[in-house]
Amino acid sequence: MKARVIVTLKGSVLDPQGKAIEGALRGLSVEGVKSVRQGKIFDIELDGDDRAAARLKLNEVCERLLANTIVENYAIEIV
Amino acid sequence: MRAAVIQFPGVNREGDAARALRQATGDEPAIVWHAENELPPGLDLVVLPGGFSYGDYLRCGAIAARSPVMRAVHAHAARGGLTLGICNGFQVLCEAGLLPGVLMRNAQLRFVCKMQYLRVENAKTPFTRSYAPGEVVKFAIAHGEGNFIADDDTVRRIEAEGRVAFRYCDAQGQAGNGSNPNGSTNSIAGVFNDRFNVLGLMPHPENLIDSLAGGIDGRALFTSLAAGSRFV
């Protein structure tokens, strides 16, 4: 089974890398981009095909390692 | 005093930390590899040195914080053992949950490597008692992720409990006004845990122990530690 975990900074946390990308897009004269926030994607392969168990496992993986929940949110997609 | 310096893959300041400990205590610290499950018995102090553990993969300090030796470091700290994290070591202690908050990318996005004035905010701890309260010292800083962030309640608690160890400031000891090198909340450069036996700081006291290398303002941190191992 394949899953995708998306980790993003919480909205209240300043994202200087996103801000720098916004500035670079302005430099490229790309118009209409209001803001950019940078995050991370993890593509994960799991044993078995129990989707509920996979979701529980991935929650644990996120809480224990993939996200620092002081400043980051995570979302899990089973694909 | 019995001290150990933890060596994670990718750290590069373990020799500097060991030299500072040797100078202050007269004893050779143990160098402990991250894959060990145990620390040497009877340790007074564990030091997590600076560097780039695991190449800063995932988040700075995140992977080192989950390495085997950290279970023993947790137990050491829980016993009241002194634990010092410098630079990357501070990031590891935050990721390990031994200190509050997190160290984010510097607000200006630049790696900063320079001399920096700091104000000693609490001189009543095992780490800082050889300094005077409010003393202004000059340490080296060298980091890309030193921007300390915590939620508002945590910051209020840290401030109210006297858990800010050092604050970035100018030569006159004034914080703010452009003296904050990385955007850190309240110009915080180092914090204690709630029992004052764990300290993390971004600046490098271990590099200011010899006037040949730019100053000796870092020495007092190590002589404080050498003078005794428990906060009374």
Side-chain angles (χ1 to χ4, degrees), chain B residues 161-182:
Chain B
E161 293 173 358
R163 288 166 55 192
V164 178
F166 298 96
R167 223 182 284 277
Y168 301 113
C169 66
D170 61 19
Q172 283 72 45
Q174 296 297 311
N177 299 326
S179 64
N180 183 339
N182 54 31

Side-chain angles (χ1 to χ4, degrees), chain A residues 9 13-14 16-17 20 40 42 64-68 70-72, chain B residues 58-59 62-63 66 95 101-102 104-107 109 149-151:
Chain A
L9 279 176
V13 177
L14 177 71
Q17 294 179 93
K40 296 175 190 146
F42 303 86
R64 291 184 64 187
L65 183 61
L66 294 188
N68 182 329
I70 297 173
V71 286
E72 291 173 326
Chain B
L58 188 60
R59 299 176 303 274
I63 299 187
R66 281 112 181 137
E95 278 285 343
V102 54
M104 301 290 289
R105 184 64 59 98
N106 293 347
L109 280 173
I149 287 180
D151 64 74

Side-chain angles (χ1 to χ4, degrees), chain A:
Chain A
M1 191 172 8
K2 291 183 176 175
R4 174 165 281 188
V5 170
I6 300 169
V7 175
T8 51
L9 279 176
K10 289 182 178 174
S12 57
V13 177
L14 177 71
D15 176 14
Q17 294 179 93
K19 287 278 171 213
I21 294 164
E22 270 176 50
L25 288 173
R26 272 195 298 279
L28 291 170
S29 303
V30 176
E31 292 184 15
V33 176
K34 282 171 80 172
S35 74
V36 178
R37 305 276 292 171
Q38 183 175 317
K40 296 175 190 146
I41 289 178
F42 303 86
D43 285 329
I44 299 174
E45 288 188 79
L46 295 160
D47 289 332
D49 54 7
D50 181 340
R51 295 171 73 87
R55 199 164 277 281
L56 275 177
K57 169 83 68 189
L58 290 168
N59 258 316
E60 184 193 351
V61 164
C62 288
E63 290 286 336
R64 291 184 64 187
L65 183 61
L66 294 188
N68 182 329
T69 54
I70 297 173
V71 286
E72 291 173 326
N73 292 322
Y74 59 85
I76 295 165
E77 296 170 4
I78 310 280
V79 293

Side-chain angles (χ1 to χ4, degrees), chain B residues 52-136:
Chain B
F52 302 86
S53 57
Y54 293 91
D56 284 346
Y57 291 176
L58 188 60
R59 299 176 303 274
C60 297
I63 299 187
R66 281 112 181 137
S67 61
V69 77
M70 286 304 293
R71 277 191 291 276
V73 174
H74 273 279
H76 168 81
R79 277 197 300 274
L82 296 171
T83 306
L84 170 65
I86 303 168
C87 199
N88 190 215
F90 183 13
Q91 295 163 343
V92 173
L93 290 175
C94 288
E95 278 285 343
L98 284 165
L99 288 173
V102 54
L103 293 144
M104 301 290 289
R105 184 64 59 98
N106 293 347
Q108 299 79 9
L109 280 173
R110 289 195 196 92
F111 190 97
V112 285
C113 181
K114 62 170 190 164
M115 300 301 287
Q116 169 73 43
Y117 290 104
L118 307 171
R119 193 171 69 214
V120 179
E121 297 290 297
N122 183 344
K124 292 187 215 153
T125 76
F127 301 90
T128 54
R129 59 187 150 196
S130 299
Y131 292 104
E135 186 175 345
V136 176

Side-chain angles (χ1 to χ4, degrees), chain B residues 20-51:
Chain B
L21 289 167
R22 206 155 50 227
Q23 182 195 66
T25 68
D27 297 324
E28 188 66 33
I31 305 289
V32 178
W33 183 236
H34 73 116
E36 297 289 335
N37 288 310
E38 289 178 26
L39 293 166
L43 278 187
D44 301 303
L45 170 68
V46 171
V47 178
L48 279 58

Side-chain angles (χ1 to χ4, degrees), chain B residues 17 51 63 66 107 123 148 152 154 162 164 176 188 223 228:
Chain B
I63 299 187
R66 281 112 181 137
F148 180 82
D152 293 346
T154 302
V164 178
I188 290 171
T223 55

